[in-house]
Amino acid sequence: TDFVKQLKGIKVVAKATLLCGGKALAENTDEVLFCDYGLSGPAILQISRESARDDRKYEVSLDLCPEKNANELTAQLIKRAELLRERSLEDFFTGMLNKRFGQVLLKYCGFKLSDSVFGLSETDFEKIAKALKDFRFKITSNTGFLNSQVTAGGLKTSEFDSETMMSKKIKGLFAAGEILDIDGH
């Protein structure tokens, strides 16, 4: 999306959750890197395995403040606004988040950066807190096999003896390592 491109080069620590049909399939808390082509970084690499298996519609949700719930975050934002009431939204997150990241997040929420902090309501702060807890991105593709860190697929492990690694179907045939359908973190 356009938001990802606006964040190119920014790295944040977040809880990344892979969603399909609203159901969480995998999650990992670590660094997330915004690139011109999409999301990357350790958290994304850890959860991406599930989305590469089929053509279902997947999303990634980033929780930028996993240590706080939405109510705590809303209260923190309201306190922050009281201290910064004379400022525009352009500077609201300065010192709390990367400045450009904060600006993009506010645009994502539908606010104008030229608006005054003073003009925001409690409902507005709840909306911002929700975005901080659930910044969503649709997965449209992956970077393909050539850019893979780990690949899945191979011979079925159920067809090999786990003690000897000999084929259960062909006596004397052994397999181990990447030729088997095993992948890890």
Side-chain angles (χ1 to χ4, degrees):
T1 68
D2 189 41
F3 294 116
V4 173
K5 288 185 180 174
Q6 291 175 43
L7 294 169
K8 178 184 174 183
I10 293 176
K11 189 183 335 180
V12 296
V13 173
K15 180 171 88 172
T17 304
L18 179 68
L19 303 165
C20 185
K23 181 181 174 193
L25 302 178
E27 69 181 31
N28 187 271
T29 301
D30 207 328
E31 290 181 339
V32 175
L33 174 64
F34 293 88
C35 304
D36 56 352
Y37 60 83
L39 302 176
S40 189
I44 300 303
L45 292 174
Q46 291 291 10
I47 67 170
S48 65
R49 138 195 311 123
E50 294 299 322
S51 68
R53 294 188 189 275
D54 56 48
D55 291 334
R56 292 185 291 169
K57 295 187 185 325
Y58 293 94
E59 293 180 296
V60 171
S61 170
L62 298 181
D63 182 347
L64 299 152
C65 301
E67 70 286 351
K68 293 186 169 131
N69 66 40
N71 292 335
E72 293 169 329
L73 203 48
T74 299
Q76 179 183 352
L77 295 173
I78 290 170
K79 268 187 192 173
R80 185 173 185 78
E82 290 168 3
L83 298 171
L84 303 174
R85 62 184 351 198
E86 303 301 322
R87 296 199 184 174
S88 69
L89 286 179
E90 181 178 10
D91 297 320
F92 182 67
F93 279 116
T94 303
M96 182 178 170
L97 295 174
N98 172 289
K99 183 176 181 175
R100 185 164 37 113
F101 191 93
Q103 291 172 346
V104 170
L105 185 80
L106 288 165
K107 286 190 230 175
Y108 173 84
C109 292
F111 297 104
K112 292 180 185 165
L113 298 180
S114 58
D115 289 347
S116 169
V117 171
F118 179 71
L120 296 181
S121 67
E122 185 173 339
T123 303
D124 292 332
F125 290 115
E126 289 169 352
K127 183 177 185 180
I128 296 167
K130 183 181 183 312
L132 284 165
K133 297 294 292 171
D134 186 14
F135 195 13
R136 291 268 180 118
F137 300 91
K138 290 181 180 172
I139 296 176
T140 56
S141 64
N142 62 53
T143 57
F145 180 79
L146 292 177
N147 293 308
S148 296
Q149 300 287 321
V150 174
T151 59
L155 301 171
K156 293 178 185 177
T157 57
S158 62
E159 294 179 2
F160 289 82
D161 182 301
S162 63
E163 300 276 325
T164 65
M165 302 310 296
M166 186 169 76
S167 170
K168 293 177 181 176
K169 292 184 172 186
I170 303 171
K171 188 175 173 122
L173 175 67
F174 295 85
E178 293 178 358
I179 198 164
L180 295 170
D181 187 12
I182 299 173
D183 61 290
H185 291 300

